[in-house]
Amino acid sequence: MANRVNLEGPALTNEEKMARGSAWLTIGNIGSRLIGIIYIIPWYYWLGENAEASNTLFNMGYNIYALFIMISTAGIPAAIAKQIAFHNSRGEYQTSRKLFHTAAKVMLGFGAVSAIIMYMASPLLSNGAGGGSDLVPAMRSLSVAILVIPFMSVLRGYFQGTQNVAPYAISQLIEQLFRVLYMLSATFIIMRLGSGDHVAAVTQSTFAAFIGALAGVGVLLYY
């Protein structure tokens, strides 16, 4: 994986790299949060009288999804970044590349196992969460995103380790943007032009996590 665009500009001191990195991370965090807040207004409006029930299903699904993400990615970006930075500081670039490739393969496998477990356990987890059968399709659509998220965490850790956090921040923005665009488009089509089935709208809204993750990975792989 090579940097196609030098987002860091000319050679910088460590202090300048830290300052620029902090700026990029701030932009990514604030931008993604703003996008994540703005979508709520049209989403609620298009769901109409089913907005509260839909939001409940949505949040239930994401609570369980967040638990699986925490288990499958816990500490990975920070650990990868630390090891990459350590080996690069010693000029051991070949070791860094091997570490990255090994971690990527492991996390792809781990993501697949976690996704399968979540998909298969969705009926049981849905009943335990109190969502019933309506929550099952939302949870299964979220399980697909777990195929991608662990791999994306390795990519982000790699860029942190090389002190080039611009791709990290940009991927955050693009991930959130694509997620929200898909979410709103699917909800509008289902609720205003289609069947009006709010469960289907929630299912597509949660599937948007996978769409966003793919977009985020695409940005990272480009750089």
Side-chain angles (χ1 to χ4, degrees), residues 136-158:
V136 173
M139 286 187 57
R140 286 181 167 170
S141 69
L142 282 167
S143 70
V144 182
I146 300 179
L147 291 169
V148 182
I149 298 295
F151 176 62
M152 183 165 63
S153 71
V154 173
L155 288 171
R156 286 176 170 171
Y158 169 83

Side-chain angles (χ1 to χ4, degrees), residues 173-192:
L173 288 171
I174 296 300
E175 178 188 1
Q176 188 74 301
L177 179 62
F178 273 71
R179 184 182 77 88
V180 169
L181 286 176
Y182 183 88
M183 201 175 159
L184 292 180
S185 298
T187 300
F188 178 79
I189 291 170
I190 293 170
M191 298 304 297
R192 298 299 177 178

Side-chain angles (χ1 to χ4, degrees), residues 22-123:
S22 297
W24 273 110
L25 289 176
T26 299
I27 292 170
N29 287 329
I30 294 176
S32 62
R33 287 178 184 274
L34 285 175
I35 295 171
I37 292 172
I38 293 171
Y39 86 86
I40 294 175
I41 298 173
W43 192 71
Y44 255 75
Y45 176 74
W46 291 331
L47 285 163
E49 62 183 13
N50 297 304
E52 289 299 327
S54 300
N55 190 52
T56 298
L57 286 176
F58 184 86
N59 288 331
M60 283 181 178
Y62 259 90
N63 285 338
I64 298 171
Y65 167 73
L67 177 62
F68 274 85
I69 290 297
M70 182 181 68
I71 294 171
S72 60
T73 63
I76 296 301
I80 293 296
K82 184 177 180 180
Q83 290 301 311
I84 293 292
F86 172 74
H87 290 297
N88 284 355
S89 68
R90 301 177 62 177
E92 299 169 349
Y93 301 108
Q94 187 65 28
T95 302
S96 291
R97 285 192 289 271
K98 288 181 179 178
L99 173 65
F100 167 75
H101 289 132
T102 300
K105 291 175 184 176
V106 169
M107 295 310 291
L108 280 170
F110 197 54
V113 171
S114 298
I116 291 170
I117 291 173
M118 183 174 175
Y119 185 92
M120 299 298 293
S122 289

